[in-house]
Amino acid sequence: MNKSNHIDLSSPNTSKPESSPMTTVNILSRLRTATEEVRKVQSNLDKDGSSDQVEILDKVGKELDGILYNLVEILSDDTRQSEINITSNDGQISKWLEQTFSSKQTRSTTAAGRFESIKAIIQASSFVNALQRQMRQNAKERLSTMLDLPVDIQKLNLWSFNMMEYEEPLNFSILLIFDAHDLITRFHIDIETLKSFNRALADGYQKFRAPYHNDFHGADVLQTTHCLLIKSNLMSVFTQLEIAALLFAAAIHDYEHPGLNNVYLVKTKNDLALTYNDFSVLENHHASSVFKLLRDKRYNIWSHMNTNEYRSFRSLVISLVLATDMANHASLVERTSTYFFFKETNSSTSSTDSKTLLQTLLHAADISNAAKPWPVYIHSAEKIMEEFFIQGDLEKLNYQDDKPTFDRETTDIVQLQIGFISHIVHPTFDVLSKVLQIDSLDENQKEQTKIITTPRSQYTIPWQYDLQLNLETWKQVSKSADMQQLVLNRKPLQLNLEYLQEYVEIAKTCLRKRSQHDQLLNHTPSS
């Protein structure tokens, strides 16, 4: 055998693998490369007539193929837990990120189907494109005019839409988005029943008057999920029942949220934690409470579903809401990454793993504020941090030994935002960008790309520029900002938005210069 073709199977690499959220994907990549090399050697030997060695390598190749697909089957199990490794200058923030967005719990696993190739899913067929154009161009003026709603569906189609500028956000967002996806017609939903349900849902969201997890957040996640659907090429992939489950789960996913996280509820032996045995406490409560609400015929918008249809719908909604538990973040991103990795190599399977894609869309929408334009993002960031600090105030009273997760007097707000965007939001949307084919930018975002003098094609994804700008802004703040000026008030938290705007402009300049530098390196002329 030629030395260059020799593969030593007796001395496996025992070096410690790198610690990274993408470690599993890297392992899979290396495994696939090894498989391809074996096949290449096999092909060369076949030409030389070395039949015995060809047979041995054929067995090795088949074994590697089997390992490869067994790994995919393991990774496609949505009950599997993963950890996330964080490096940050602030140990307190690192601990929060690791504990909140991953889990070391051991759960019983169930058999799960193999990921199907996404290649067929993201192919932009003429049918998909026509469906998307119809969705964007149809203003549904009939419903918005008839019900005297403050916005129409065209506004809700915008990634840059600011839900906090309107009152009763759940009412108009559910009405318009359900109508846009023909759910009202398909499932024979009575408009008056839907309006009654919307009011009851809003009352539940406002029950604890949480600064962030309220009806504005529920409506925002619904609208963002709608945007992800219509701007991607997934419209023809999901059934109408799956779309109904996704949009309904988005609307209800934080119903009756107390503004406290699962860790706090478990640690303080809250009634909810005892009811749900410390497992996805809030998420179980959100889903359970809404389905109890639906038992009342005044609010049962799905009353015309048949028994089998409703059973499938309910099961999927519960699965989607439970997947919003932030402890599932690392596992979900890893599974979605693997899904993308095998989009061109995986063989056909019996059914599409649409549930993983649905879960990813909802999770991304749930943490999407940092990927929105700065005015939308910074107000939501202020609200969520105040909610954290309220929990920190309670932890000071109820925790005997540990210091609070977030102390409003000492927490580094800037590093908190940098860590959250860098380690949680950015990886999620990076994976989403690879998995989905996003159709186009909003018009106002296209104007932004002109301002920074970069090729429009460089920012073809709705969130790409805003996500970079928001992160860069905090990095600039961390370098030279006066922290005394940054915060106007500590309780409740009030940020100095006018002062922060100065750093937004600095960040824009940095991004423009960086883009121009990249263009020069790539010899790409500015447009």
Side-chain angles (χ1 to χ4, degrees):
M1 182 187 295
N2 189 309
K3 270 191 173 183
S4 62
N5 290 334
H6 178 65
I7 298 177
D8 185 2
L9 299 176
S10 62
S11 304
N13 185 359
T14 58
S15 60
K16 186 178 179 181
E18 61 178 330
S19 178
S20 164
M22 300 298 289
T23 296
T24 305
V25 178
N26 291 337
I27 291 172
L28 291 168
S29 178
R30 283 154 40 203
L31 181 56
R32 187 176 71 170
T33 300
T35 304
E36 291 172 349
E37 288 299 315
V38 168
R39 295 301 184 195
K40 189 186 299 182
V41 173
Q42 178 187 345
S43 177
N44 292 335
L45 287 173
D46 192 46
K47 294 175 183 177
D48 297 334
S50 307
S51 57
D52 291 340
Q53 293 170 341
V54 170
E55 186 176 345
I56 293 171
L57 282 173
D58 183 54
K59 289 180 180 179
V60 174
K62 288 178 179 177
E63 182 65 19
L64 284 172
D65 285 339
I67 294 171
L68 197 63
Y69 284 106
N70 285 338
L71 278 172
V72 177
E73 286 181 285
I74 293 170
L75 289 169
S76 68
D77 181 359
D78 65 4
T79 66
R80 180 177 175 272
Q81 295 297 291
S82 295
E83 299 173 32
I84 185 170
N85 300 298
I86 306 295
T87 54
S88 172
N89 295 331
D90 191 311
Q92 180 187 12
I93 291 171
S94 295
K95 182 179 179 181
W96 169 72
L97 288 167
E98 290 173 353
Q99 290 182 345
T100 304
F101 297 96
S102 63
S103 172
K104 296 182 181 180
Q105 282 183 294
T106 301
R107 302 182 187 176
S108 60
T109 59
T110 57
R114 184 182 300 161
F115 283 116
E116 184 173 355
S117 170
I118 198 171
K119 185 176 182 180
I121 291 177
I122 63 174
Q123 286 177 338
S125 66
S126 58
F127 169 75
V128 173
N129 290 332
L131 190 62
Q132 290 175 333
R133 285 195 298 271
Q134 180 183 0
M135 179 70 71
R136 289 190 296 271
Q137 292 170 2
N138 187 352
K140 295 285 184 181
E141 293 179 356
R142 173 184 57 80
L143 186 70
S144 59
T145 302
M146 180 177 69
L147 299 179
D148 192 27
L149 301 179
V151 300
D152 59 27
I153 193 62
Q154 293 287 21
K155 287 189 176 180
L156 295 186
N157 288 348
L158 301 177
W159 183 257
S160 55
F161 181 77
N162 189 349
M163 192 65 69
M164 285 183 273
E165 294 178 353
Y166 300 90
E167 296 180 358
E168 299 184 354
L170 276 171
N171 185 51
F172 68 77
S173 60
I174 290 176
L175 284 166
L176 289 171
I177 291 172
F178 277 29
D179 189 43
H181 292 272
D182 292 323
L183 302 185
I184 294 175
T185 301
R186 164 64 179 80
F187 297 104
H188 308 290
I189 299 174
D190 178 73
I191 292 294
E192 291 305 315
T193 302
L194 183 56
K195 289 166 67 177
S196 296
F197 172 78
N198 294 346
R199 286 192 292 269
L201 188 65
D203 289 343
Y205 266 103
Q206 295 165 357
K207 182 177 180 179
F208 296 97
R209 301 187 182 278
Y212 178 77
H213 286 102
N214 50 42
D215 55 333
F216 287 96
H217 173 66
D220 178 62
V221 171
L222 171 61
Q223 185 265 336
T224 304
T225 303
H226 162 72
C227 275
L228 290 173
L229 271 177
I230 67 169
K231 291 179 183 298
S232 70
N233 281 331
L234 293 176
M235 288 293 293
S236 66
V237 175
F238 302 131
T239 66
Q240 202 154 22
L241 190 71
E242 288 174 327
I243 291 175
L246 174 63
L247 295 174
F248 185 69
I252 68 148
H253 80 285
D254 275 332
Y255 178 74
E256 291 189 346
H257 197 296
L260 304 164
N261 65 20
N262 285 332
V263 174
Y264 177 85
L265 297 178
V266 170
K267 200 163 186 176
T268 56
K269 299 180 175 63
N270 185 275
D271 285 347
L272 286 179
L274 298 178
T275 298
Y276 296 108
N277 299 316
D278 300 346
F279 172 70
S280 295
V281 176
L282 286 170
E283 294 71 30
N284 271 299
H285 175 69
H286 303 322
S288 176
S289 298
V290 168
F291 279 106
K292 287 177 182 177
L293 185 66
L294 290 176
R295 292 187 304 189
D296 189 326
K297 65 180 181 180
R298 294 174 298 171
Y299 310 127
N300 188 8
I301 60 177
W302 309 111
S303 60
H304 289 94
M305 282 186 179
N306 62 48
T307 302
N308 290 333
E309 201 171 39
Y310 185 74
R311 185 184 296 117
S312 298
F313 171 81
R314 171 172 151 78
S315 175
L316 183 52
V317 169
I318 292 171
S319 171
L320 291 172
V321 174
L322 291 182
T324 64
D325 183 348
M326 292 302 172
N328 295 324
H329 164 82
S331 173
L332 185 57
V333 170
E334 186 178 83
R335 285 189 289 120
T336 310
S337 301
T338 308
Y339 190 68
F340 167 71
F341 178 78
F342 282 96
K343 73 184 179 74
E344 293 182 347
T345 60
N346 197 11
S347 61
S348 60
T349 56
S350 57
S351 62
T352 302
D353 187 11
S354 58
K355 186 169 71 171
T356 295
L357 282 176
L358 291 165
Q359 290 173 338
T360 304
L361 290 173
L362 182 54
H363 176 57
D366 197 17
I367 61 172
S368 66
N369 287 135
K372 296 288 184 72
W374 176 265
V376 178
Y377 158 61
I378 192 57
H379 283 288
S380 64
E382 187 178 65
K383 297 293 184 183
I384 189 63
M385 285 190 289
E386 172 57 21
E387 196 168 287
F388 287 161
F389 292 150
I390 290 173
Q391 178 173 309
D393 297 339
L394 292 172
E395 287 172 345
K396 287 181 180 179
L397 297 174
N398 294 307
Y399 283 10
Q400 297 296 323
D401 304 320
D402 298 341
K403 65 179 182 179
T405 308
F406 294 115
D407 188 320
R408 69 171 67 245
E409 300 300 329
T410 61
T411 296
D412 189 331
I413 294 170
V414 179
Q415 290 303 317
L416 172 61
Q417 291 302 313
I418 290 175
F420 178 64
I421 295 175
S422 300
H423 294 291
I424 307 302
V425 184
H426 194 280
T428 302
F429 278 88
D430 182 56
V431 168
L432 204 62
S433 300
K434 294 173 181 175
V435 172
L436 305 182
Q437 273 193 351
I438 301 302
D439 182 62
S440 63
L441 292 167
D442 297 344
E443 287 303 317
N444 61 332
Q445 288 176 307
K446 290 179 180 178
E447 292 303 315
Q448 285 182 325
T449 63
K450 292 178 184 177
I451 293 173
I452 59 174
T453 64
T454 61
R456 185 173 297 178
S457 59
Q458 188 169 339
Y459 291 104
T460 56
I461 301 174
W463 55 76
Q464 190 173 14
Y465 175 71
D466 293 317
L467 189 55
Q468 290 186 48
L469 177 63
N470 296 338
L471 178 58
E472 185 63 32
T473 298
W474 288 116
K475 287 181 177 180
Q476 293 301 321
V477 170
S478 70
K479 290 179 181 179
S480 57
D482 182 344
M483 295 302 150
Q484 296 299 319
Q485 291 191 60
L486 180 63
V487 179
L488 295 177
N489 190 31
R490 283 271 175 185
K491 190 173 184 178
L493 179 67
Q494 184 181 358
L495 298 175
N496 189 338
L497 301 186
E498 185 176 341
Y499 180 66
L500 277 171
Q501 188 60 40
E502 298 176 16
Y503 288 90
V504 174
E505 299 306 319
I506 294 173
K508 286 180 180 178
T509 301
C510 289
L511 290 183
R512 181 170 63 250
K513 290 180 178 179
R514 193 176 303 159
S515 177
Q516 291 170 342
H517 178 261
D518 291 343
Q519 288 172 34
L520 289 173
L521 287 178
N522 296 324
H523 305 288
T524 304
S526 299
S527 61

